[in-house]
Amino acid sequence: SANSAQANYVSNLMRGARPTANSQLRKLDQNGDEEIEVDLSGYSVKFEQCQFVRTYDDELAEEEDSDTVLATKRFVIFRLCPDNSCSSCNYGYGEYIVDLDEYLEAAVGYQEELQNDMCEACNECQNQQEDNGDQDGNDNNQRKLQDVDCDSCYDECYKIENMENNGYIDATKFLGCELVYDAQDDNAASYYAGPICASSGSKIKIGIFEDENCYIQDPSKDVDDYLMDGDGYPMKLSHALLKTTYSEDSCVSCLVVEEEDENQDENNDNNDQEEKEPEVLEMCEQLYESAAKCESDGGFDGGIEDYQAYTNQAQQEGAVCEFIDSIKSKSYDEYGEIYVKGANSSVGGGSKTSGGQKFALTFFIMGTIILSVYAAMLHSKLTKSGGASLSDQGGALA
C-alpha cells in the first residue's frame, strides 16, 4: 500500500493551496482573461472524519536524539453538500481533505463568532427585560437572536463567561501544541497538549504528546491530569465549543444570510435593477482554498475542473481521491498506524505492522512518487513567485 507516502503527497499538495489576499475564490476562466467565481453559496460544510497518519518526516530523520522517523500527520475529511440534501449528501457534493489545524482554525473561528454574537444579543435582551424595554426593542432582539431563546441563553452564556472560575479551561485553547508539563530536571519528560482524532475519527479531542510539535502521541496519559490554575488547583477541559466543529448531524450553510434592512421596501425598485451577489461564509472560503479536492466522484458542479487556476489540483485529483478512500476504508487505526491485511488475517481484520515494516513500506514507494512530489512543490514555488502578477489580473494561487 502507498498510503503513508500518499499522506505526505496530499499534505504537499495542500501546502500549495493557499488563498491570495484578493482571491476570494475568484479565478481566471479557461482563456485567462475573465474572472469567474467558484460559487459555494448553495452548499453546506459537513464534517466527515478526522484521521491520524503516521508517516516519514524529514525533520525527525535529521534529529540525532529522535528514536523514530515517523511523525503523526493530522487530517480532516469534509464535504460540501447541496443545501437541499445535506443530511443525505449522496450526489452533487465535493469531498475534501485538509490539515486538522487548518480545519479547526476555520471551524472554531466561525463557532466562536456565533457564540459571541449569541451572548451579546442575549445580554442586550436581558438588559432590556430588566429595564422594561419597549415592544419594538424586544422585537428587534428577537430578530437578532433568531432561534435563541432569551430565557434559556442566559444560563449558557453565564457558564461560558465564568468557565475558569468554575474550574474549566476551554479545549480550544489547545488547538496548537501547548506545553502543559515542564520538566523540572533533565531526567524528566515534558508533555504537550494538542488536538487528536478520537472515537474512530468521529470526534476531535485534546491529547498528550511527547514533543513540542505534537508528532508523537502518548495515549496512556490524560490531559486533565496536567491542567491547573495559577494557584495550583486542578482544572478540567470543557469540550462544548470544540464539539460544535464535528457534530454528526451539523451542516453549516456557506450562504451568509443578511439581516433585514429597515429600508428594504424603499429599495425594492433598485433591487430589480441590480441584484447583489450572494455572500459566502469566510469559513467555507478558507476551507475550500486550503483543502485538497476530490470533486468528480461526487458530481460537484463548477469546481476545479472548470477553472485554469486550479489546473495543478485537477491533475492530482485522482491521487487525492485515492488517499481519501484509503482513510475511509480504515487503512489506519486511531493512532495513525497502518493496517496490513494478509492471507493469515481474519476476515475483515488486519494485523499491525512492526516498526521495520512501516519503515520499509514508506521507503519502498518513495522512489515511485518522488518526481510527482517534486513537481507539485515546484509548481507551488512557481505560482507563488508569480503571485503578484496573477493577483493583479484577478487570479489566485492554486
Tab-separated table of all heavy atoms in Angstrom, residues 258-306:
chain	number	residue	atom	x	y	z
A	258	GLU	N	-28.231	37.826	5.241
A	258	GLU	CA	-28.174	39.219	5.693
A	258	GLU	C	-29.392	39.550	6.536
A	258	GLU	O	-30.486	39.049	6.312
A	258	GLU	CB	-28.099	40.160	4.487
A	258	GLU	CG	-26.833	39.997	3.659
A	258	GLU	CD	-26.775	40.992	2.527
A	258	GLU	OE1	-27.752	41.760	2.376
A	258	GLU	OE2	-25.773	41.003	1.799
A	259	GLU	N	-29.165	40.442	7.534
A	259	GLU	CA	-30.282	40.909	8.346
A	259	GLU	C	-31.200	41.790	7.510
A	259	GLU	O	-30.763	42.464	6.576
A	259	GLU	CB	-29.757	41.706	9.553
A	259	GLU	CG	-28.972	40.869	10.547
A	259	GLU	CD	-28.540	41.679	11.745
A	259	GLU	OE1	-28.978	42.849	11.840
A	259	GLU	OE2	-27.788	41.162	12.569
A	260	GLU	N	-32.468	41.776	7.873
A	260	GLU	CA	-33.439	42.560	7.122
A	260	GLU	C	-33.119	44.047	7.247
A	260	GLU	O	-32.841	44.556	8.332
A	260	GLU	CB	-34.856	42.290	7.635
A	260	GLU	CG	-35.342	40.880	7.350
A	260	GLU	CD	-36.774	40.687	7.812
A	260	GLU	OE1	-37.376	41.694	8.236
A	260	GLU	OE2	-37.274	39.558	7.749
A	261	ASP	N	-33.165	44.718	6.134
A	261	ASP	CA	-32.904	46.157	6.113
A	261	ASP	C	-34.214	46.894	6.374
A	261	ASP	O	-35.243	46.601	5.769
A	261	ASP	CB	-32.345	46.536	4.729
A	261	ASP	CG	-31.831	47.967	4.698
A	261	ASP	OD1	-32.147	48.728	5.636
A	261	ASP	OD2	-31.117	48.300	3.724
A	262	GLU	N	-34.177	47.876	7.295
A	262	GLU	CA	-35.380	48.642	7.608
A	262	GLU	C	-35.903	49.398	6.386
A	262	GLU	O	-37.079	49.718	6.284
A	262	GLU	CB	-35.084	49.631	8.737
A	262	GLU	CG	-34.748	48.947	10.054
A	262	GLU	CD	-34.415	49.951	11.138
A	262	GLU	OE1	-34.433	51.173	10.820
A	262	GLU	OE2	-34.159	49.536	12.271
A	263	ASN	N	-34.992	49.730	5.475
A	263	ASN	CA	-35.388	50.481	4.278
A	263	ASN	C	-35.589	49.566	3.073
A	263	ASN	O	-35.542	50.019	1.935
A	263	ASN	CB	-34.318	51.524	3.948
A	263	ASN	CG	-34.115	52.512	5.077
A	263	ASN	OD1	-35.081	52.950	5.700
A	263	ASN	ND2	-32.845	52.869	5.336
A	264	GLN	N	-35.826	48.254	3.354
A	264	GLN	CA	-35.904	47.285	2.258
A	264	GLN	C	-37.033	47.622	1.284
A	264	GLN	O	-36.879	47.509	0.081
A	264	GLN	CB	-36.108	45.886	2.829
A	264	GLN	CG	-36.122	44.801	1.766
A	264	GLN	CD	-36.230	43.425	2.380
A	264	GLN	OE1	-36.351	43.275	3.600
A	264	GLN	NE2	-36.194	42.418	1.545
A	265	ASP	N	-38.194	48.051	1.845
A	265	ASP	CA	-39.338	48.340	0.971
A	265	ASP	C	-39.029	49.490	0.027
A	265	ASP	O	-39.469	49.497	-1.127
A	265	ASP	CB	-40.564	48.673	1.822
A	265	ASP	CG	-41.047	47.459	2.604
A	265	ASP	OD1	-40.734	46.337	2.167
A	265	ASP	OD2	-41.724	47.648	3.636
A	266	GLU	N	-38.258	50.489	0.515
A	266	GLU	CA	-37.957	51.643	-0.310
A	266	GLU	C	-36.979	51.291	-1.421
A	266	GLU	O	-36.897	51.986	-2.429
A	266	GLU	CB	-37.366	52.761	0.552
A	266	GLU	CG	-38.300	53.208	1.675
A	266	GLU	CD	-37.653	54.256	2.560
A	266	GLU	OE1	-36.512	54.671	2.227
A	266	GLU	OE2	-38.265	54.648	3.564
A	267	ASN	N	-36.212	50.209	-1.223
A	267	ASN	CA	-35.169	49.861	-2.189
A	267	ASN	C	-35.569	48.736	-3.138
A	267	ASN	O	-34.734	48.220	-3.864
A	267	ASN	CB	-33.891	49.447	-1.448
A	267	ASN	CG	-33.310	50.598	-0.643
A	267	ASN	OD1	-33.453	51.747	-1.018
A	267	ASN	ND2	-32.659	50.266	0.466
A	268	ASN	N	-36.851	48.340	-3.118
A	268	ASN	CA	-37.280	47.216	-3.963
A	268	ASN	C	-37.045	47.502	-5.442
A	268	ASN	O	-36.643	46.610	-6.196
A	268	ASN	CB	-38.766	46.926	-3.727
A	268	ASN	CG	-38.978	46.060	-2.485
A	268	ASN	OD1	-38.042	45.403	-2.022
A	268	ASN	ND2	-40.193	46.083	-1.955
A	269	ASP	N	-37.286	48.769	-5.852
A	269	ASP	CA	-37.097	49.103	-7.258
A	269	ASP	C	-35.639	48.964	-7.655
A	269	ASP	O	-35.317	48.483	-8.745
A	269	ASP	CB	-37.579	50.530	-7.531
A	269	ASP	CG	-39.090	50.648	-7.365
A	269	ASP	OD1	-39.760	49.593	-7.467
A	269	ASP	OD2	-39.575	51.766	-7.133
A	270	ASN	N	-34.743	49.384	-6.767
A	270	ASN	CA	-33.315	49.279	-7.053
A	270	ASN	C	-32.868	47.830	-7.110
A	270	ASN	O	-31.974	47.467	-7.877
A	270	ASN	CB	-32.492	50.020	-5.991
A	270	ASN	CG	-32.723	51.524	-6.046
A	270	ASN	OD1	-33.040	52.064	-7.106
A	270	ASN	ND2	-32.565	52.192	-4.904
A	271	ASN	N	-33.479	46.977	-6.284
A	271	ASN	CA	-33.119	45.556	-6.270
A	271	ASN	C	-33.455	44.891	-7.588
A	271	ASN	O	-32.781	43.953	-8.020
A	271	ASN	CB	-33.831	44.829	-5.129
A	271	ASN	CG	-33.282	45.237	-3.768
A	271	ASN	OD1	-32.161	45.732	-3.678
A	271	ASN	ND2	-34.075	45.038	-2.732
A	272	ASP	N	-34.550	45.364	-8.216
A	272	ASP	CA	-34.914	44.794	-9.505
A	272	ASP	C	-33.865	45.124	-10.564
A	272	ASP	O	-33.631	44.349	-11.490
A	272	ASP	CB	-36.285	45.334	-9.945
A	272	ASP	CG	-37.390	44.802	-9.038
A	272	ASP	OD1	-37.164	43.756	-8.401
A	272	ASP	OD2	-38.445	45.464	-8.972
A	273	GLN	N	-33.244	46.308	-10.415
A	273	GLN	CA	-32.269	46.733	-11.410
A	273	GLN	C	-30.909	46.079	-11.183
A	273	GLN	O	-30.206	45.761	-12.126
A	273	GLN	CB	-32.139	48.259	-11.375
A	273	GLN	CG	-33.439	48.975	-11.731
A	273	GLN	CD	-33.307	50.491	-11.579
A	273	GLN	OE1	-32.242	50.991	-11.218
A	273	GLN	NE2	-34.380	51.208	-11.853
A	274	GLU	N	-30.518	45.939	-9.925
A	274	GLU	CA	-29.190	45.408	-9.625
A	274	GLU	C	-29.289	44.369	-8.503
A	274	GLU	O	-29.627	44.694	-7.366
A	274	GLU	CB	-28.252	46.530	-9.212
A	274	GLU	CG	-26.830	46.056	-8.948
A	274	GLU	CD	-25.906	47.204	-8.604
A	274	GLU	OE1	-26.353	48.359	-8.679
A	274	GLU	OE2	-24.748	46.935	-8.248
A	275	GLU	N	-29.033	43.136	-8.807
A	275	GLU	CA	-29.141	42.057	-7.835
A	275	GLU	C	-27.771	41.768	-7.228
A	275	GLU	O	-26.786	41.563	-7.935
A	275	GLU	CB	-29.673	40.801	-8.531
A	275	GLU	CG	-30.070	39.712	-7.550
A	275	GLU	CD	-30.753	38.558	-8.264
A	275	GLU	OE1	-31.543	38.841	-9.191
A	275	GLU	OE2	-30.482	37.409	-7.909
A	276	LYS	N	-27.707	41.797	-5.882
A	276	LYS	CA	-26.425	41.582	-5.201
A	276	LYS	C	-25.993	40.125	-5.310
A	276	LYS	O	-26.822	39.217	-5.261
A	276	LYS	CB	-26.558	41.956	-3.716
A	276	LYS	CG	-26.641	43.441	-3.475
A	276	LYS	CD	-26.675	43.727	-1.967
A	276	LYS	CE	-25.379	43.288	-1.316
A	276	LYS	NZ	-25.371	43.646	0.129
A	277	GLU	N	-24.692	39.921	-5.455
A	277	GLU	CA	-24.156	38.563	-5.454
A	277	GLU	C	-24.270	37.980	-4.057
A	277	GLU	O	-24.090	38.681	-3.063
A	277	GLU	CB	-22.692	38.575	-5.888
A	277	GLU	CG	-22.472	38.942	-7.334
A	277	GLU	CD	-21.005	38.835	-7.721
A	277	GLU	OE1	-20.211	38.414	-6.853
A	277	GLU	OE2	-20.678	39.163	-8.863
A	278	PRO	N	-24.572	36.683	-3.941
A	278	PRO	CA	-24.664	36.073	-2.609
A	278	PRO	C	-23.309	36.097	-1.918
A	278	PRO	O	-22.268	35.865	-2.539
A	278	PRO	CB	-25.114	34.638	-2.904
A	278	PRO	CG	-24.719	34.389	-4.328
A	278	PRO	CD	-24.836	35.723	-5.019
A	279	GLU	N	-23.325	36.389	-0.621
A	279	GLU	CA	-22.090	36.429	0.159
A	279	GLU	C	-21.820	35.041	0.738
A	279	GLU	O	-22.727	34.380	1.240
A	279	GLU	CB	-22.204	37.459	1.280
A	279	GLU	CG	-20.914	37.636	2.063
A	279	GLU	CD	-21.039	38.692	3.148
A	279	GLU	OE1	-22.091	39.359	3.201
A	279	GLU	OE2	-20.092	38.833	3.945
A	280	VAL	N	-20.562	34.610	0.659
A	280	VAL	CA	-20.172	33.277	1.121
A	280	VAL	C	-19.452	33.384	2.456
A	280	VAL	O	-18.632	34.282	2.672
A	280	VAL	CB	-19.272	32.575	0.086
A	280	VAL	CG1	-18.740	31.251	0.617
A	280	VAL	CG2	-20.048	32.342	-1.208
A	281	LEU	N	-19.763	32.464	3.347
A	281	LEU	CA	-19.150	32.425	4.667
A	281	LEU	C	-17.629	32.302	4.549
A	281	LEU	O	-17.117	31.502	3.763
A	281	LEU	CB	-19.718	31.230	5.438
A	281	LEU	CG	-19.602	31.228	6.965
A	281	LEU	CD1	-20.456	32.343	7.559
A	281	LEU	CD2	-20.041	29.878	7.497
A	282	GLU	N	-16.909	33.078	5.338
A	282	GLU	CA	-15.447	33.052	5.289
A	282	GLU	C	-14.896	31.667	5.615
A	282	GLU	O	-13.900	31.234	5.036
A	282	GLU	CB	-14.877	34.078	6.270
A	282	GLU	CG	-13.360	34.180	6.231
A	282	GLU	CD	-12.822	35.215	7.184
A	282	GLU	OE1	-13.630	35.938	7.814
A	282	GLU	OE2	-11.586	35.306	7.320
A	283	MET	N	-15.556	30.959	6.515
A	283	MET	CA	-15.128	29.608	6.865
A	283	MET	C	-15.111	28.704	5.637
A	283	MET	O	-14.171	27.922	5.430
A	283	MET	CB	-16.057	29.033	7.925
A	283	MET	CG	-15.933	27.535	8.150
A	283	MET	SD	-17.207	26.913	9.279
A	283	MET	CE	-17.119	25.155	8.941
A	284	CYS	N	-16.141	28.800	4.806
A	284	CYS	CA	-16.228	27.959	3.604
A	284	CYS	C	-15.125	28.311	2.618
A	284	CYS	O	-14.498	27.423	2.023
A	284	CYS	CB	-17.598	28.107	2.953
A	284	CYS	SG	-18.969	27.545	3.989
A	285	GLU	N	-14.889	29.602	2.423
A	285	GLU	CA	-13.833	30.029	1.517
A	285	GLU	C	-12.473	29.531	1.987
A	285	GLU	O	-11.661	29.025	1.206
A	285	GLU	CB	-13.823	31.555	1.421
A	285	GLU	CG	-15.045	32.145	0.753
A	285	GLU	CD	-14.950	33.655	0.618
A	285	GLU	OE1	-14.057	34.253	1.263
A	285	GLU	OE2	-15.752	34.238	-0.118
A	286	GLN	N	-12.220	29.675	3.290
A	286	GLN	CA	-10.932	29.277	3.845
A	286	GLN	C	-10.705	27.775	3.698
A	286	GLN	O	-9.619	27.334	3.305
A	286	GLN	CB	-10.862	29.684	5.322
A	286	GLN	CG	-9.508	29.420	5.975
A	286	GLN	CD	-9.454	29.922	7.406
A	286	GLN	OE1	-10.305	30.697	7.851
A	286	GLN	NE2	-8.452	29.479	8.143
A	287	LEU	N	-11.716	26.981	4.002
A	287	LEU	CA	-11.572	25.529	3.906
A	287	LEU	C	-11.408	25.084	2.455
A	287	LEU	O	-10.595	24.201	2.152
A	287	LEU	CB	-12.781	24.837	4.536
A	287	LEU	CG	-12.867	24.891	6.060
A	287	LEU	CD1	-14.154	24.227	6.547
A	287	LEU	CD2	-11.654	24.217	6.695
A	288	TYR	N	-12.182	25.676	1.552
A	288	TYR	CA	-12.108	25.265	0.147
A	288	TYR	C	-10.731	25.554	-0.428
A	288	TYR	O	-10.151	24.730	-1.150
A	288	TYR	CB	-13.183	25.984	-0.674
A	288	TYR	CG	-13.287	25.460	-2.094
A	288	TYR	CD1	-14.019	24.309	-2.372
A	288	TYR	CD2	-12.640	26.101	-3.145
A	288	TYR	CE1	-14.099	23.806	-3.669
A	288	TYR	CE2	-12.720	25.615	-4.441
A	288	TYR	CZ	-13.450	24.470	-4.699
A	288	TYR	OH	-13.518	23.984	-5.976
A	289	GLU	N	-10.193	26.721	-0.139
A	289	GLU	CA	-8.894	27.091	-0.682
A	289	GLU	C	-7.762	26.273	-0.072
A	289	GLU	O	-6.757	26.003	-0.723
A	289	GLU	CB	-8.631	28.585	-0.451
A	289	GLU	CG	-9.431	29.500	-1.350
A	289	GLU	CD	-8.983	29.388	-2.798
A	289	GLU	OE1	-7.767	29.308	-3.049
A	289	GLU	OE2	-9.848	29.381	-3.671
A	290	SER	N	-7.911	25.868	1.196
A	290	SER	CA	-6.835	25.156	1.887
A	290	SER	C	-6.821	23.665	1.588
A	290	SER	O	-5.797	23.010	1.780
A	290	SER	CB	-6.965	25.361	3.406
A	290	SER	OG	-6.875	26.719	3.754
A	291	ALA	N	-7.920	23.110	1.134
A	291	ALA	CA	-8.068	21.659	1.039
A	291	ALA	C	-7.598	21.110	-0.304
A	291	ALA	O	-7.621	21.787	-1.330
A	291	ALA	CB	-9.535	21.276	1.254
A	292	ALA	N	-7.173	19.829	-0.262
A	292	ALA	CA	-7.001	19.048	-1.489
A	292	ALA	C	-8.376	18.512	-1.870
A	292	ALA	O	-9.155	18.121	-1.006
A	292	ALA	CB	-6.011	17.916	-1.255
A	293	LYS	N	-8.656	18.469	-3.176
A	293	LYS	CA	-10.042	18.326	-3.620
A	293	LYS	C	-10.290	17.037	-4.392
A	293	LYS	O	-9.511	16.665	-5.263
A	293	LYS	CB	-10.424	19.538	-4.474
A	293	LYS	CG	-10.254	20.865	-3.735
A	293	LYS	CD	-10.303	22.048	-4.675
A	293	LYS	CE	-10.151	23.351	-3.918
A	293	LYS	NZ	-8.845	23.489	-3.235
A	294	CYS	N	-11.434	16.402	-4.081
A	294	CYS	CA	-11.931	15.239	-4.821
A	294	CYS	C	-13.384	15.542	-5.178
A	294	CYS	O	-14.281	15.311	-4.363
A	294	CYS	CB	-11.817	13.968	-3.968
A	294	CYS	SG	-12.508	12.492	-4.761
A	295	GLU	N	-13.618	16.076	-6.374
A	295	GLU	CA	-14.941	16.586	-6.723
A	295	GLU	C	-15.651	15.772	-7.796
A	295	GLU	O	-16.882	15.716	-7.816
A	295	GLU	CB	-14.814	18.047	-7.167
A	295	GLU	CG	-14.313	18.947	-6.047
A	295	GLU	CD	-14.175	20.408	-6.453
A	295	GLU	OE1	-14.010	20.690	-7.670
A	295	GLU	OE2	-14.214	21.272	-5.551
A	296	SER	N	-14.910	15.150	-8.687
A	296	SER	CA	-15.540	14.432	-9.803
A	296	SER	C	-16.379	13.258	-9.323
A	296	SER	O	-17.478	13.017	-9.834
A	296	SER	CB	-14.470	13.937	-10.785
A	296	SER	OG	-13.732	15.003	-11.322
A	297	ASP	N	-15.871	12.513	-8.324
A	297	ASP	CA	-16.574	11.315	-7.866
A	297	ASP	C	-17.959	11.626	-7.313
A	297	ASP	O	-18.891	10.834	-7.458
A	297	ASP	CB	-15.753	10.597	-6.778
A	297	ASP	CG	-14.498	9.956	-7.337
A	297	ASP	OD1	-14.304	10.008	-8.570
A	297	ASP	OD2	-13.701	9.413	-6.551
A	298	GLY	N	-18.107	12.779	-6.681
A	298	GLY	CA	-19.397	13.135	-6.082
A	298	GLY	C	-20.275	13.984	-6.965
A	298	GLY	O	-21.375	14.358	-6.568
A	299	GLY	N	-19.801	14.321	-8.167
A	299	GLY	CA	-20.604	15.113	-9.094
A	299	GLY	C	-20.715	16.573	-8.718
A	299	GLY	O	-21.707	17.242	-9.037
A	300	PHE	N	-19.676	17.107	-8.047
A	300	PHE	CA	-19.686	18.512	-7.650
A	300	PHE	C	-19.703	19.405	-8.883
A	300	PHE	O	-18.957	19.187	-9.828
A	300	PHE	CB	-18.450	18.818	-6.800
A	300	PHE	CG	-18.426	20.194	-6.206
A	300	PHE	CD1	-19.134	20.480	-5.044
A	300	PHE	CD2	-17.683	21.201	-6.799
A	300	PHE	CE1	-19.094	21.747	-4.490
A	300	PHE	CE2	-17.637	22.475	-6.253
A	300	PHE	CZ	-18.346	22.753	-5.082
A	301	ASP	N	-20.556	20.423	-8.869
A	301	ASP	CA	-20.764	21.266	-10.044
A	301	ASP	C	-19.954	22.553	-9.932
A	301	ASP	O	-20.024	23.259	-8.934
A	301	ASP	CB	-22.248	21.619	-10.184
A	301	ASP	CG	-22.544	22.376	-11.467
A	301	ASP	OD1	-21.804	22.190	-12.447
A	301	ASP	OD2	-23.512	23.158	-11.480
A	302	GLY	N	-19.156	22.842	-10.966
A	302	GLY	CA	-18.446	24.114	-11.019
A	302	GLY	C	-17.210	24.167	-10.174
A	302	GLY	O	-16.870	25.213	-9.621
A	303	GLY	N	-16.485	23.053	-10.034
A	303	GLY	CA	-15.303	23.002	-9.183
A	303	GLY	C	-14.014	23.170	-9.948
A	303	GLY	O	-13.942	23.880	-10.953
A	304	ILE	N	-12.971	22.432	-9.508
A	304	ILE	CA	-11.622	22.649	-10.018
A	304	ILE	C	-11.468	22.315	-11.493
A	304	ILE	O	-10.623	22.887	-12.161
A	304	ILE	CB	-10.592	21.833	-9.194
A	304	ILE	CG1	-10.959	20.348	-9.191
A	304	ILE	CG2	-10.489	22.365	-7.802
A	304	ILE	CD1	-9.932	19.484	-8.477
A	305	GLU	N	-12.278	21.416	-12.030
A	305	GLU	CA	-12.120	21.036	-13.436
A	305	GLU	C	-12.464	22.184	-14.380
A	305	GLU	O	-12.024	22.205	-15.525
A	305	GLU	CB	-13.003	19.820	-13.758
A	305	GLU	CG	-12.452	18.509	-13.218
A	305	GLU	CD	-13.184	17.321	-13.801
A	305	GLU	OE1	-14.296	17.515	-14.318
A	305	GLU	OE2	-12.646	16.205	-13.742
A	306	ASP	N	-13.248	23.150	-13.896
A	306	ASP	CA	-13.742	24.201	-14.774
A	306	ASP	C	-12.831	25.421	-14.851
A	306	ASP	O	-13.075	26.319	-15.651
A	306	ASP	CB	-15.137	24.663	-14.311
A	306	ASP	CG	-16.169	23.556	-14.458
A	306	ASP	OD1	-15.889	22.600	-15.195
A	306	ASP	OD2	-17.235	23.649	-13.829
